[in-house]
Amino acid sequence: MIKFYQRLILLLLFVGSISSIVIYFTVDIHTLRHLDSFQPWSLALAFVFLIIGLYFDGIRLMHLVSISGEKIRLIEAVHVVFGNYFLALLTPGAAGGAVAQVMFLRKAGVPTGKATVLIVVRTLLSIIFLVLCLPVIFYYDPEIMPGLSDDILTICFASLIAIILGLIWLFRTSLPYYWLVALTKKFSHRNRRRIFLLYRDVRGAVFMLSSSPLSMGKVFIESAVSLLALYSVVPILFMGMGITVNIPQIMGRMILLNILLYFAPTPGGSGIAEGGFVLLFSGFLPSGTVGIVAVAWRIIVEYLPFVIGLYFTIKVFGHRFLANHVK
């Protein structure tokens, strides 16, 4: 338990330091004047969209569990969602988030094997949606990738769909298994076991994705609504600053940033999220405010759910869970 509190204190210091550095290097003499014009209604609306995003995140999980032949209640889905935020922010690369989701699903009565596959499917659906958005983003925001013509974007979009469908077909065959057997011959037993466990989970996820197209299409739409609602917090904060918002452009850059955060090595993407936000949005905001808005965004969509996730984790599993799983 002492190790958990040590890690929690280190995390708070790390997050606090990053937030302070971002604000320090972005404020100027105009900051207070611009903040005086901030409209409090935007904060209330941002929390409304946060709730919508989290609600649809829980609903899509319930529907995924139903597709697998199991059943969970909404409150149990809420536990999974917030548990993910909690352990993701405590572990490098957000790896603990997957562990938390499996643990909460097991507590809700879902077998471990199914729970693992469900989490893989949940992640794949989010990534597939974000990747499919890329050509649209480049179309509405040509400054990000100058030189891309409409024809190239059309080809890229068609290629993405073909690649996704091709991978689904491939993993429904035994070819990847034989390739892995050949490629991992010289690997240690431990590493081979990890690779084949990952292959098993991904293959199970692919079979689930393709087993019920209509139901999975509904879950895909719910995934899109959840992600877009969460990303909408940023343009809402921008409107609170009195800015005329180009919603497709801002949402597109939020999607790009969050794709990057899936592969961030820091706990919960801390540091990379704030730095990427400043890089992508400094030209949209009044002078001296981009760092403050970046920190406000992180507090609303990451740190508040983290605190709620900590509460639910202790409530459901007790302090012993923290001592055993947060080392």
Side-chain angles (χ1 to χ4, degrees):
M1 197 63 195
I2 294 176
K3 288 184 178 180
F4 164 73
Y5 284 117
Q6 289 175 340
R7 170 163 286 189
L8 183 60
I9 291 171
L10 287 174
L11 173 69
L12 293 175
L13 290 174
F14 178 64
V15 169
S17 298
I18 289 174
S19 300
S20 300
I21 291 170
V22 168
I23 292 174
Y24 177 79
F25 282 103
T26 56
V27 297
D28 59 26
I29 58 174
H30 305 290
T31 301
L32 292 178
R33 176 168 58 86
H34 290 307
L35 289 179
D36 283 341
S37 62
F38 182 76
Q39 301 297 315
W41 62 261
S42 66
L43 277 179
L45 188 58
F47 281 111
V48 169
F49 272 81
L50 173 66
I51 293 170
I52 293 172
L54 294 174
Y55 171 77
F56 276 96
D57 198 2
I59 288 296
R60 69 163 175 167
L61 179 62
M62 291 180 66
H63 290 157
L64 274 176
V65 172
S66 178
I67 292 171
S68 74
E70 305 292 334
K71 188 176 181 180
I72 61 173
R73 294 174 295 143
L74 178 59
I75 186 60
E76 292 169 329
V78 169
H79 291 164
V80 175
V81 170
F82 283 109
N84 174 42
Y85 277 95
F86 168 58
L87 272 187
L89 197 60
L90 275 179
T91 51
V99 175
Q101 293 176 77
V102 172
M103 293 293 294
F104 275 106
L105 283 173
R106 282 181 57 190
K107 186 73 173 179
V110 180
T112 303
K114 281 188 179 180
T116 304
V117 171
L118 287 169
I119 300 313
V120 174
V121 172
R122 186 171 178 265
T123 304
L124 285 177
L125 285 173
S126 296
I127 293 175
I128 289 171
F129 169 71
L130 296 179
V131 170
L132 288 177
C133 287
L134 288 177
V136 180
I137 293 168
F138 296 142
Y139 176 80
Y140 280 102
D141 196 356
E143 296 177 8
I144 296 179
M145 294 286 286
L148 284 179
S149 65
D150 292 349
D151 291 339
I152 294 176
L153 289 174
T154 302
I155 293 171
C156 289
F157 187 73
S159 299
L160 284 173
I161 294 177
I163 290 171
I164 291 170
L165 293 176
L167 287 173
I168 290 174
W169 171 83
L170 181 63
F171 273 92
R172 287 183 64 88
T173 70
S174 299
L175 287 175
Y177 175 80
Y178 294 115
W179 292 343
L180 285 177
V181 169
L183 292 172
T184 61
K185 281 183 178 179
K186 296 183 179 180
F187 287 22
S188 67
H189 173 73
R190 183 179 181 182
N191 288 334
R192 289 193 80 189
R193 185 172 181 274
R194 287 180 176 177
I195 290 171
F196 278 95
L197 285 174
L198 177 61
Y199 164 72
R200 181 202 64 188
D201 294 339
V202 172
R203 192 163 190 260
V206 167
F207 271 93
M208 181 177 289
L209 281 169
S210 56
S211 63
S212 182
L214 291 178
S215 297
M216 201 57 67
K218 179 181 179 181
V219 175
F220 182 78
I221 293 172
E222 290 166 345
S223 299
V225 173
S226 172
L227 292 172
L228 292 177
L230 293 173
Y231 301 163
S232 295
V233 169
V234 170
I236 288 170
L237 292 177
F238 283 16
M239 288 187 283
M241 301 294 297
I243 299 169
T244 301
V245 177
N246 183 335
I247 291 180
Q249 190 176 29
I250 293 174
M251 292 294 284
R253 295 196 176 199
M254 282 301 299
I255 288 172
L256 279 176
L257 179 56
N258 280 273
I259 290 175
L260 176 63
L261 293 181
Y262 270 101
F263 308 97
T266 57
S270 297
I272 295 174
E274 291 84 354
F277 188 96
V278 171
L279 180 65
L280 290 172
F281 296 112
S282 57
F284 291 83
L285 289 162
S287 175
T289 61
V290 65
I292 294 173
V293 176
V295 172
W297 160 60
R298 290 289 283 174
I299 290 173
I300 294 171
V301 302
E302 290 289 340
Y303 304 145
L304 179 60
F306 166 83
V307 173
I308 298 173
L310 169 61
Y311 166 76
F312 280 136
T313 301
I314 294 176
K315 180 181 178 181
V316 174
F317 294 106
H319 291 80
R320 182 172 295 180
F321 173 86
L322 301 178
N324 293 334
H325 291 83
V326 184
K327 299 178 180 180

